[in-house]
Amino acid sequence: MENFYWAALGAAKGFGTAQLLALGKVFGSAQELYRATESELLATGIVTPKEVAAYVESRKKNRLIPEQLKESCERHQVSVIPIVSDAYPERLKRILRPPAVLYVKGTLPDCRYSIGMVGSRMADAYGLKVAETFGRRLAQAGVVIVSGGAKGIDTASHKGALQGGGKTLAVLGCGVDIVYPPTNHKLFGEIAENGALVSEYPPGTEPEAWHFPMRNRIINGISQGIVLVEAASRSGALITAEFAMDEGRELFCVPGNIFSDKSAGPHKLIRDGARMVTSPDDILEELFPELQGSAHSNLFTGIEDSTPLKVCSHEQRRVLDLLTQGPMTLDRLVSETGWKVADMSVILLELQLKGFVSVDAAQRYTQT
């Protein structure tokens, strides 16, 4: 029952996780702390009268919470991992406001090698392809993919990890027994079988708008770095990026179409100093060099013949032919082909992702 007393403490109002940890040491167990009187709590000097009053009132309204939580979790096959447990992700313990407990459906994997992937719910085909490909290649290398289970980039990242035969975590803004969005019912089942659904909220908790910014700190806390694929200038995904910078995590941004609003977030962060990445190997090189032999920079290595002739469109091959003459700028390529700047930008980015083109500091494109 000790874990469920921790869960009850985490659900009660009044005390933060740091205070609960300090009080737990004084009282010896979560059960004794949960049952402590107002005078006993005040005698510790750890919490203020106002905090104690809020806690006691919350506990009074929910006196059977530990037993209720136990029944609910067992019914939904959900495990409770308190912050004092060795199974609780070590990196998450060190953030500013770690959750007191995690509710887990599935099996929480070793998150020593883990990367958070976030982005727009309204992602376009390009963003979805990037997220799925990065998720797949990184998972193949042994990296746990952590995301939020939402539509768009989150869903594509989870799917990519599963395609790669790896582990993935979906950190939810509701109870792990609730499927939100409903369209991800099948996906959530697969994640629970090949990783875990994770939440700081007990089973039965419905999604609320304010839950999602809070869950972003957990995505960041579990992960060694964050990859931002697509995000508008005002986006929930940027909250995760801000958490990453605040907590000293590595922040990686995938560039996008300069004419798309969905590229505004990553491009701003790149200008502000985030690292631009154009392949999973960039991330492996930076964070997980020991895993580099398990993945490749070419995003299309799964294709039997990955030569440009087989995997490139007619337009892409036209650009590669031009680059055989030497490095060229975007303007020069537009002039040579007569195509629109937007179309050429997309083609060049696709060729970079395929590993056939690189760009130097002077923004000149070269065939690799």
Side-chain angles (χ1 to χ4, degrees):
M1 279 293 294
E2 182 71 2
N3 286 357
F4 297 102
Y5 276 99
W6 270 108
L9 289 167
K13 297 178 181 179
F15 305 150
T17 302
Q19 291 172 311
L20 291 176
L21 285 169
L23 289 167
K25 291 180 179 179
V26 172
F27 288 95
S29 72
Q31 181 174 336
E32 291 302 315
L33 170 57
Y34 187 77
R35 293 175 173 175
T37 65
E38 187 169 356
S39 60
E40 289 173 334
L41 291 166
L42 285 171
T44 66
I46 295 171
V47 286
T48 66
K50 183 177 180 180
E51 291 167 337
V52 171
Y55 167 74
V56 170
E57 180 64 21
S58 176
R59 184 181 61 182
K60 188 184 300 182
K61 291 180 178 178
N62 300 283
R63 186 167 295 278
L64 298 178
I65 271 186
E67 291 75 19
Q68 292 172 346
L69 286 171
K70 182 176 186 294
E71 187 278 328
S72 178
C73 287
E74 289 178 348
R75 177 159 39 89
H76 293 290
Q77 297 182 305
V78 173
S79 58
V80 174
I81 301 178
I83 192 170
V84 294
S85 169
D86 291 338
Y88 192 101
E90 191 62 35
R91 202 177 286 121
L92 182 59
K93 292 180 181 180
R94 299 195 294 269
I95 70 170
L96 182 61
R97 290 171 294 138
V101 299
L102 295 176
Y103 296 90
V104 177
K105 189 173 183 63
T107 302
L108 197 64
D110 182 351
C111 294
R112 178 177 34 175
Y113 300 120
S114 55
I115 198 82
M117 294 191 62
V118 297
S120 175
R121 285 177 169 82
M122 306 299 292
D124 57 26
Y126 163 76
L128 296 176
K129 183 174 180 108
V130 169
E132 187 174 299
T133 305
F134 270 57
R136 182 174 68 252
R137 292 297 183 222
L138 290 170
Q140 286 173 336
V143 179
V144 176
I145 304 300
V146 186
S147 197
K151 294 179 179 179
I153 297 302
D154 289 11
T155 291
S157 301
H158 292 306
K159 286 182 176 178
L162 294 170
Q163 291 168 8
K167 302 292 184 183
T168 185
L169 297 183
V171 183
L172 308 181
C174 56
V176 294
D177 59 318
I178 293 174
V179 178
Y180 183 81
T183 51
N184 276 351
H185 188 275
K186 182 174 182 290
L187 176 64
F188 280 16
E190 294 174 351
I191 292 173
E193 292 177 1
N194 297 276
L197 304 171
V198 177
S199 179
E200 66 180 311
Y201 305 109
T205 304
E206 295 291 338
E208 299 283 353
W210 62 272
H211 288 173
F212 294 95
M214 294 301 292
R215 70 92 194 267
N216 290 344
R217 83 189 194 285
I218 300 177
I219 294 174
N220 176 73
I222 293 174
S223 307
Q224 194 164 337
I226 295 293
V227 179
L228 180 64
V229 179
E230 282 187 334
S233 56
R234 292 188 177 185
S235 167
L238 294 184
I239 297 175
T240 312
E242 292 170 2
F243 277 129
M245 292 184 286
D246 290 343
E247 297 289 346
R249 301 290 192 266
E250 295 292 340
L251 178 59
F252 304 96
C253 294
V254 179
N257 184 344
I258 62 173
F259 296 99
S260 171
D261 291 342
K262 298 180 181 67
S263 302
H267 290 177
K268 179 185 183 301
L269 291 172
I270 289 170
R271 290 195 301 272
D272 291 344
R275 178 168 175 182
M276 181 180 76
V277 292
T278 57
S279 83
D281 209 46
D282 294 338
I283 297 165
L284 292 171
E285 179 183 359
E286 180 74 21
L287 291 185
F288 316 112
E290 62 272 38
L291 301 180
Q292 271 191 286
S294 304
H296 309 280
S297 60
N298 186 348
L299 300 188
F300 292 83
T301 51
I303 300 173
E304 290 184 2
D305 188 344
S306 59
T307 63
L309 184 63
K310 293 291 184 181
V311 301
C312 290
S313 66
H314 170 76
E315 291 79 7
Q316 291 168 347
R317 293 199 299 272
R318 167 72 170 135
V319 171
L320 290 174
D321 287 342
L322 286 170
L323 292 179
T324 59
Q325 302 173 29
M328 293 188 183
T329 63
L330 173 63
D331 289 343
R332 171 75 184 281
L333 287 166
V334 167
S335 176
E336 291 285 343
T337 60
W339 300 340
K340 295 179 180 179
V341 172
D343 294 337
M344 180 61 73
S345 297
V346 171
I347 290 169
L348 288 168
L349 194 53
E350 289 172 344
L351 287 170
Q352 289 178 75
L353 290 170
K354 290 178 178 180
F356 296 138
V357 166
S358 62
V359 60
D360 62 21
Q363 294 301 300
R364 296 178 303 174
Y365 295 87
T366 305
Q367 185 176 163
T368 56

